[in-house]
Structure formats: C-alpha cells, structure tokens
Amino acid sequence: ALNLSECLAFQLMALPAETNIYCGHEYTRANARFALSVEPENEALKVRAAEAETLAERGEPALPTTMAQELATNPFLRPSSPEIQKRLGMEGREMWEMFGETFPEHHWSYPPHLLLVTWPLGFLAYFPAFVVWCGVGFALYVAVAAQGDRRGDRLLMLVAAPAIVMNIISGQNGFFTAALLIGGLSLLDRRPIVSGILFGMLTMKPQLGLLLPLMLLLKGQWRCIISATVTTLILVGVTGAIFGADVWPPFFSDSVPTQSEWLTHGSGIFPSMMPTAFMNARITGLPAEWAWVVQAPVSIAAIAALTWTCWRQRDPVLSTALFLTASFLVTPYAFHYEMIVFGWVPGQLPD
C-alpha cells in the first residue's frame, strides 16, 4: 500500500494535466459510484458520473480520461481533500504520521490568510520554528506595547503578564494578535489608515475583533474602516493567488462548523483554557443550550457598555480598557493566551 501511495503521489500526480490516460478496463461507472460514496459533494465528480451513465446508455466508453479530470474526481488522487478525510475518519493523519498516533487531535481553525505568516516556518525543523515563532512574536509585542517607554516598571508589566507564559507553552499566536490590536488602537486617532491595516490583519483571529466594527462606527472612523476592509480583501486575494482559490470554501464548510461543534461539545484541556462565560458554564456541567443562556446577557452587557462609552467623547485610556474588556466578554470563544494585551493596559493609566 505504501509503494502504491508513493507511485500515485510522486509519479501519476506529477504528470501534466493534459496527459491522456487509457485504462485497460472500463469501470468508470462503478468507480464513480464508489467515489461519490466517499466525496458526495464533489461537483466535478457528479458531472463525470452523469456523463459516464449517459455514455454507457449509448454504448460508448468514458475513456480515455485526462490527468486533470482524475485529479478533480478520483479520491485516490485526492488524499488531502478535507471532505474525504472527514468521511473516512482520517482528519489529522499528516500530524499523526509526523508526531505519532498519540498526538492529540488538532484542527486548523484559522482563516486561510494566516498561512501567509506561518508557511515560511514549514521550511524549518519543529524546534527552530517554535523558537523563531515565539521570539519574533515576543519582540513585536514588546516593541509595539512599550512604544519607546523603557522604564523598568512599565516593561515589567508587559513581560510579566501570566498570559505570556501560557502563550509560550502552547506555542500560540497571542504575541502577534496583541501587537496588531495594541498597534491599531494606539494609532487610531493619529494614523487611522495604518490602524486600519493592522485591524485588517487581525481578521486572522476574527473572534478578537467582533466589537471593532461597532467601536469604529460609533467613533466615525471611516478612513480606518475603509483601510481595514481593503486590507482584508487584499489578504483574501493574495492567499487565493498563492494557495489557490479553493483554499477558502473549506474554511467555511469545514473549519467553522468543526469549531462550532467543538465549542459546544468539546472536552479535554481546551475548555479550561477559555475564560468565557459560555465555557465556564459548560465546565460547571451545564448543557450547551444553557451555556448560551449564560453567555447572552454577558454579551449584551458588553455591547451596551461599549456603546455607552463610545457614544460621546470620554477618557481615551479608560475607553480603550473598556473596549478590550468588552472584546473578551462578548465572545464565547477566546483563550487565556490571547489576554496578553491586558499587560499593556496598566501602563497606559496615569501615574
């Protein structure tokens, strides 16, 4: 099986798309029925199966085929298809092959444009990549949050935040999201276009920016809104150009539902890492339906507090602190390592 897999992957799949394939036997209809049982939502496969039936009724063969058609419809040449892996219970197969079968199940839960940041690390071994990821992220966070202030007490508050330890232990992206959020908030009034670019990049972690549109609308920050929108569209376009346009549909059809299912029914260590009203309700034993009942008033209160704060001009530092607090209260989906940003808030308060 291993030799066959290598043959398919490294020889057949490497052939030009226009290569004609002449099979020794005409099994197209039977093969199409099997393929549909594995990948029933594949539109190209549905068309090919219908064509094979029509040709068979006329007594005509469905051969030869082309490599392009096989790559689009043959499940044996599509092992990386999320739908196929999900139906066959093979999700996480690549990670198990690399780290062993005891490696916990992981799901890619981020919008595809995060790949623009992470893919270069794939050229490094695991530990060097981990060091680069955490080191670069930490340096960016401190540089953006310190804003040139080198006083020891301020720097201590930045580097001593408990979330920093959790972020490093889990190798997460909290340093980068904190840098984007802090940078965007700091530059909002002085350089709204640059602020919008940073907020647009923050869409790589959309749950942290749920209240950003409301805050920007209430403040009338139209240049920032336009800048963030354009930045997001550019990131989406560049991601599609580099990794293929088909990288986006699986995010909405597979990743989002998977994360929703995990949020409401997931178990293990991750629920204890989520300091949200919803997840705390689940940890106490409440079913997901009642956990949503607990989360709803907290989210409503967060939205109301932010609306009241931004409705007219108030203390900018306290308004920023309230916005960050409300951002973590409004969502049922947030992790403790994302709270690095709160190490920045005390340093902004008057001495």
Side-chain angles (χ1 to χ4, degrees):
L2 179 60
N3 291 334
L4 175 60
S5 174
E6 291 176 349
C7 177
L8 290 172
F10 299 114
Q11 295 185 40
L12 292 179
M13 293 173 67
L15 293 173
E18 63 274 13
T19 301
N20 287 325
I21 299 176
Y22 295 83
C23 302
H25 299 277
E26 171 59 286
Y27 295 140
T28 305
R29 286 191 299 166
N31 289 342
R33 287 194 290 269
F34 164 76
L36 283 170
S37 71
V38 177
E39 200 176 15
E41 301 303 320
N42 186 328
E43 295 298 329
L45 177 56
K46 292 178 183 178
V47 171
R48 186 179 183 188
E51 291 176 347
E53 294 292 342
T54 301
L55 290 170
E57 290 174 0
R58 297 204 301 252
E60 300 177 15
L63 299 171
T65 180
T66 65
M67 198 64 226
Q69 196 172 38
E70 290 298 312
L71 290 172
T73 61
N74 190 330
F76 293 102
L77 299 181
R78 296 169 53 78
S80 60
S81 164
E83 182 181 1
I84 292 176
Q85 291 189 1
K86 185 175 182 179
R87 289 187 67 86
L88 298 182
M90 296 172 61
E91 293 176 295
R93 175 179 56 83
E94 293 88 352
M95 289 185 290
W96 291 332
E97 290 177 353
M98 180 174 293
F99 299 109
E101 294 185 1
T102 59
F103 189 73
E105 185 176 0
H106 284 67
H107 298 278
W108 177 267
S109 58
Y110 298 99
H113 51 306
L114 182 64
L115 290 170
L116 298 173
V117 179
T118 59
W119 75 265
L121 298 174
F123 295 99
L124 301 175
Y126 182 86
F127 186 71
F130 172 80
V131 172
V132 171
W133 175 255
C134 292
V136 172
F138 180 75
L140 282 174
Y141 158 68
V142 172
V144 173
Q147 299 175 347
D149 190 342
R150 298 185 178 181
R151 285 179 291 176
D153 58 340
R154 297 293 173 87
L155 292 176
L156 180 62
M157 282 188 288
L158 293 178
V159 303
I164 287 181
V165 177
M166 303 310 302
N167 186 77
I168 294 176
I169 290 175
S170 56
Q172 276 292 345
N173 49 48
F175 291 136
F176 295 94
T177 55
L180 291 173
L181 193 52
I182 293 170
L185 292 172
S186 300
L187 296 173
L188 181 57
D189 294 322
R190 293 181 288 121
R191 297 184 178 180
I193 294 179
V194 177
S195 173
I197 292 174
L198 297 178
F199 287 151
M201 295 172 66
L202 190 63
T203 55
M204 298 176 184
K205 203 70 179 270
Q207 69 267 27
L208 296 184
L210 293 179
L211 292 182
L212 271 173
L214 175 62
M215 184 267 286
L216 295 175
L217 285 171
L218 290 172
K219 288 180 174 290
Q221 291 284 357
W222 300 109
R223 285 190 293 173
C224 181
I225 293 172
I226 294 173
S227 175
T229 303
V230 171
T231 299
T232 302
L233 293 176
I234 290 175
L235 289 173
V236 171
V238 171
T239 303
I242 294 177
F243 301 105
D246 57 352
V247 76
W248 278 100
F251 170 69
F252 295 101
S253 64
D254 297 317
S255 295
V256 173
T258 297
Q259 290 307 108
S260 177
E261 176 69 16
W262 181 89
L263 177 68
T264 53
H265 299 102
S267 58
I269 190 175
F270 290 106
S272 63
M273 298 169 61
M274 303 180 71
T276 65
F278 177 88
M279 195 54 74
N280 276 276
R282 276 205 54 213
I283 290 174
T284 62
L286 290 178
E289 295 78 9
W290 283 102
W292 285 116
V293 173
V294 173
Q295 177 66 49
V298 176
S299 299
I300 293 172
I303 295 172
L306 180 64
T307 303
W308 176 83
T309 300
C310 297
W311 194 258
R312 62 184 179 87
Q313 189 69 30
R314 303 182 191 276
D315 181 275
V317 174
L318 294 179
S319 296
T320 298
L322 186 141
F323 166 76
L324 291 173
T325 303
S327 296
F328 279 86
L329 291 174
V330 75
T331 176
Y333 191 91
F335 288 90
H336 52 30
Y337 54 76
E338 295 165 340
M339 302 180 77
I340 291 175
V341 67
F342 287 106
W344 169 71
V345 173
Q348 305 306 302
L349 300 174
D351 292 327

